[in-house]
Structures are given as C-alpha cells and as structure tokens.
Amino acid sequence: MRYLPLTDTDRGDMLAKIGAGSIDDLFVDVPEIARLDGPIRDLPMHASEMAVERHMKARANKNLAAGDAPFFLGAGAYRHHIPASVDTVIQRGEFLTAYTPYQPEIAQGTLQMLFEFQTQVARLYGCAVANASLYDGSTACWEAVAMAGRVTKRNRAVLSGALHPHYAQVVKTMAQFTGDTIADSAPAIQTEPDLDGLTARIDDETACVVVQYPDILGRISDLSKVADAAHAKGALLIVVNTEPVALGAIMSPGEMGADIVVGEGQSIGVGLQFGGPYLGLFAVRDPKHVRQMPGRLCGETTDAEGKRGFVLTLSTREQHIRREKATSNICTNSGLCALAFSVHMTLLGEKGMRELAAENHRLACLAADRLEKVPGVKLLNTSFFNEFTLMLDGKPAREIVRELADRGVLGGVSLGRLYPGIEALEHALLVAVTETTTEDDIETLANELERIVMEPAQ
C-alpha cells in the first residue's frame, strides 16, 4: 500500500494553478549536477511492509541484546530491572496531558507528578530544590557550569580528570560559544582520585569545580575537602552523578557541601533504550540560587476554592522572558522519562532503594573478588559501588571486549575507547554489576576472560 493521497489529476490541477508544466519545473533552481538522474544507487527499491519487517528482523537478530547475554556494561548507562507496573502507570490517562503544562486546569496530573519528582530528586541529592528535569546528564552538567558563572560572575571552570569524558566534551563544546575557560586534565590511573591536585588548580577566577561521584573509574571519595577549597576561593562545587542507585548506599553530594548536583536519571525507571532518550537531574543546595536554575520548576498552590493544586511556578527560559534575562535556552523537560523515574522511585520507597543499592554492591564485590583471581587481572579500586576498573596484562582492553562479545559476553567498557590516545588507559576495563547480574554471569565472565588472557599471542 502506498501512502500517497494525491491522484495524478490532483497533482495536475495544483501544477496548473501555480503555472508549472511539470513537477520538474519546481526544481529549476537546483543545479542539474545536483539532481538525481534515477534511483539512489545501492538503495533497494520499495517493498511491502511485511517484506521490510522480515528484512529488518533478520538484521536485528545479528545483535547481541543486553538481556540475552551476561551484561557488564556501564560507564554512565546501566541495566536495571524496571517493574512492569512502571509502564502501566505512565500510560494512565491522568498523565496524558499537554506537552507543556501551561494550563494547570487541564494538566494537574503532569504538574503533580513533576512536583513529586522534584521532591524525590532533592532528597536523593541532599539538596533544597530540584527542577523538573533536563535532557540528560551531560547537558545538565553544562547547565550547572553556566549557572555557576552567573552566580559567581566568573568564567573559569575546573574539571576533574575523573569526570566522564563525554560530559567533559559537552562542557568544552558549549564553552566555545560562551567564552568560558575550561581547565581539564587527563585521569590519573591510581587507586584514589587526586583530590589534592584538583584543589590546587582552583584560583580566584574559578567559578566552579566539577567532580564526578562515583567517578568514571568507579572510585568513591569524600568531597568535603573539595567543597571547602572551592568555597574558600568563592567558587561553587558541582557534583555529577551518573548512577543514582549509588545514592541509596553512599552519602549524598549535598551533605558533603556540593552547591549544585546534577546527573543522569536513566538507572531508575528508564531503560537503556539504545542510548536515549534519557533524563537529566538538576538540584541546588541553597534556595537562594533557585532563580538562576535552568529549565522549569513546578510548585504547590491553592485554587479559588482553597483546594490544593500545582502550577508551573518558574520557567526562566527565553520563550517566556527577555532573551538576555533567560538562564538557558533549554525549552522543555524530559516529561515522560521523569514520570517513569518518579513512578519507579515511588514503588521502591526509601527502604527499597537502600535494599536495591545493597544488592548492587554485594554483587559487585563478588565480581571484583572473582575477577581479581584471573591471572593477569588487577583490581584498581580500593572503593566502589557497583562499578570498578580492572587493569589487564597483555592485550589491550578493547580487543578483549570484542573477543568477549564474540563469545556471548558483554564484558565491560574499554577505557581506551573512552580516552583514545592515552596509553595508560588502553589496558583498563570498566566493569559494572547491577541487580540484573547473576552469580552465574560473574562466573561466565571470569572463565571467558581467563581463557582469553591465557591464550598465546597470534
């Protein structure tokens, strides 16, 4: 079936109306050399819907899906179990409201959900106020840097070498258009982060210091000293969290003095989804900074009859106010993903969140102990939550990851892929373990890794 509603007669009438002899007459301004002279080469001609479905399914079957193999990938996107009830709840009619909740009288379901979501994120991060979400963790990181510049009236950001390189790259890309100075460094391959080296880079022109917690190598640090050092220079501490489940087990960034806490919310309620859409989280510790926050904020109020209700309280974006007064060109929030996050968090509750975190850490400890027994494998971390770094002898980690995949094991992320050109990281493998990992999965990874490591070089 062709989905073309116009007949030849319809097209002829339209061309006659505009004085064109044929459709080709509409393209006379396009140079002839740039026009197609026939079908696109190497592109199959159209086929039936069933034929296309069969073709695409055959291609998809060549993939090694996350749920079909032992899975140890992480580095900012994690596989967690999402209860079926999450999908059921997010499809309820109360939430099927307008894309943007401008009219509170018809968007109470969406507005109340966002209000509850903000409360959950603020509590999780140990902050006073959270916004209604941003696009993803990396763009939230940049928005925090931009906000710190507005608050401090400075334009220099110091990035920890242990910040996820994709987040750092987003910050550096955006800074090209704002004139901000970004001081970054390469990650140090050591058991503990070099926090002394980080604080030594803070000067009187620094607007903010950006630190990941747990960091890209999975290490966990007390960030109180970094907060003190930043505040002593009049700078803000921005903490990035890519695994919110960790905060069910470790101290929140706000408790350690972080001024702005941002991160990725994908782990809770949102699947891997081939890399997106994801969910940016953003919160501030001091309420006085609320008007400098990007995005939108939902608040509680009462209506004309005195009943409890919810409204879009703050939206300091350029569509609503003068452009030069806008805090960001972020013009929306990740509403559906925020809803899924909030539903999953509500189902877990505080007790469930702590139990989920404890199970993640238990399995990660089992995996670290077992993998460290493999010849030629050394555990880098002295602390971690559910992700840790292994140093491998012999082959580069990137080759080993490919060989593991060929053997039906998704065995981790090569840090050499994340940091191309840094020789010290070519043999580093980042391994993530969640509640979806079984003890049999861990044993399978250890056995296959040992076989690969022990194979003689070709």
Side-chain angles (χ1 to χ4, degrees):
M1 182 184 293
R2 300 289 299 279
Y3 294 94
L4 300 176
L6 300 179
T7 65
D8 289 339
T9 301
D10 293 330
R11 282 189 283 272
D13 291 343
M14 293 168 67
L15 289 168
K17 185 72 173 177
I18 62 175
S22 68
I23 290 176
D24 290 338
D25 290 348
L26 303 179
F27 297 92
V28 293
D29 292 328
V30 178
E32 192 168 343
I33 193 173
R35 301 181 208 170
L36 283 172
D37 57 3
I40 299 174
R41 284 183 290 275
D42 300 324
L43 185 68
M45 296 300 289
H46 73 272
S48 70
E49 184 175 336
M50 287 188 295
V52 172
E53 285 178 352
R54 282 194 294 267
H55 174 75
M56 297 308 295
K57 186 174 181 180
R59 294 184 70 85
N61 286 340
K62 296 179 180 180
N63 292 335
L64 182 58
D68 296 339
F71 187 89
F72 297 90
L73 306 183
Y78 303 91
R79 180 175 180 245
H80 288 283
H81 173 69
I82 301 173
S85 48
V86 171
D87 192 52
T88 300
V89 172
I90 67 176
Q91 294 183 65
R92 287 183 61 91
E94 294 91 335
F95 304 116
L96 297 177
T97 54
Y99 165 69
T100 303
Y102 291 132
Q103 297 173 276
E105 64 274 17
I106 61 170
Q108 283 300 292
T110 295
L111 287 164
Q112 180 170 356
M113 175 278 295
L114 290 174
F115 183 81
E116 302 291 354
F117 166 83
Q118 291 168 179
T119 304
Q120 291 168 330
V121 174
R123 290 191 63 185
L124 188 69
Y125 279 175
C127 289
V129 186
N131 74 6
S133 78
L134 294 174
Y135 296 134
D136 59 22
S138 61
T139 49
C141 181
W142 160 250
E143 291 293 339
V145 171
M147 176 179 161
R150 294 191 297 273
V151 170
T152 63
K153 311 299 183 187
R154 301 173 181 176
N155 67 350
R156 181 176 184 268
V158 175
L159 308 187
S160 163
L163 175 66
H164 195 299
H166 295 171
Y167 285 52
Q169 190 58 54
V170 168
V171 170
K172 288 186 280 189
T173 297
M174 295 299 292
Q176 294 177 24
F177 305 100
T178 62
D180 289 273
T181 300
I182 307 300
D184 65 342
S185 64
I189 303 301
Q190 52 194 43
T191 57
E192 297 293 337
D194 182 15
L195 298 184
D196 290 336
L198 177 64
T199 56
R201 294 193 282 135
I202 306 172
D203 60 23
D204 294 331
E205 300 301 316
T206 300
C208 60
V209 183
V210 185
V211 185
Q212 185 171 324
Y213 171 80
D215 69 19
I216 186 60
L217 303 183
R219 302 169 301 186
I220 301 170
S221 304
D222 183 353
L223 301 178
S224 302
K225 291 182 179 179
V226 181
D228 292 342
H231 297 157
K233 293 288 187 178
L236 303 185
L237 173 62
I238 298 171
V239 174
V240 175
N241 170 264
T242 61
E243 171 55 297
V245 175
L247 299 177
I250 60 179
M251 185 179 292
S252 71
E255 291 178 89
M256 292 186 285
D259 299 287
I260 306 173
V261 186
V262 299
E264 178 55 65
Q266 172 271 327
S267 282
I268 300 176
V270 183
L272 288 168
Q273 301 186 151
F274 302 98
Y278 282 173
L279 173 65
L281 309 181
F282 194 109
V284 296
R285 185 168 55 91
D286 194 330
K288 72 181 180 183
H289 293 147
V290 164
R291 288 195 173 274
Q292 292 298 335
M293 288 175 66
R296 55 173 61 133
L297 194 69
C298 291
E300 180 182 343
T301 187
T302 54
D303 65 13
E305 298 178 355
K307 296 178 181 178
R308 184 187 189 212
F310 301 90
V311 294
L312 197 60
T313 302
L314 193 66
S315 192
T316 53
R317 60 184 184 148
E318 61 186 49
Q319 287 173 288
H320 288 167
I321 61 177
R322 292 195 305 274
R323 184 169 187 172
E324 65 273 14
K325 296 290 186 181
T327 60
S328 169
N329 64 1
I330 293 288
C331 60
T332 184
N333 63 286
S334 296
L336 184 62
C337 293
L339 172 60
F341 176 100
S342 190
V343 171
H344 195 179
M345 281 285 284
T346 302
L347 290 168
L348 285 169
E350 182 177 344
K351 183 172 181 288
M353 183 70 170
R354 294 190 184 282
E355 290 176 352
L356 176 62
E359 179 64 1
N360 273 245
H361 185 57
R362 181 188 75 84
L363 288 165
C365 289
L366 285 177
D369 290 343
R370 176 64 182 90
L371 294 170
E372 197 173 22
K373 293 177 182 177
V374 175
V377 175
K378 179 184 177 183
L379 177 66
L380 177 70
N381 305 57
T382 56
S383 64
F384 58 86
F385 169 62
N386 68 351
E387 192 166 31
F388 51 83
T389 300
L390 300 176
M391 302 305 297
L392 310 176
D393 290 340
K395 299 178 183 177
R398 201 164 186 177
E399 290 183 22
I400 290 177
V401 165
R402 283 195 289 263
E403 291 188 37
L404 284 169
D406 290 340
R407 296 167 185 244
V409 179
L410 296 170
V413 175
S414 162
L415 287 173
R417 182 171 70 84
L418 294 180
Y419 295 93
I422 300 180
E423 188 175 347
L425 289 167
E426 289 182 358
H427 294 269
L429 179 66
L430 190 62
V431 176
V433 182
T434 73
E435 76 284 356
T436 64
T437 308
T438 67
E439 294 184 24
D440 285 344
D441 291 340
I442 294 170
E443 191 63 28
T444 298
L445 172 61
N447 291 335
E448 295 298 340
L449 182 59
E450 184 166 352
R451 291 188 184 101
I452 293 170
V453 170
M454 298 301 288
E455 282 178 355
Q458 295 292 324

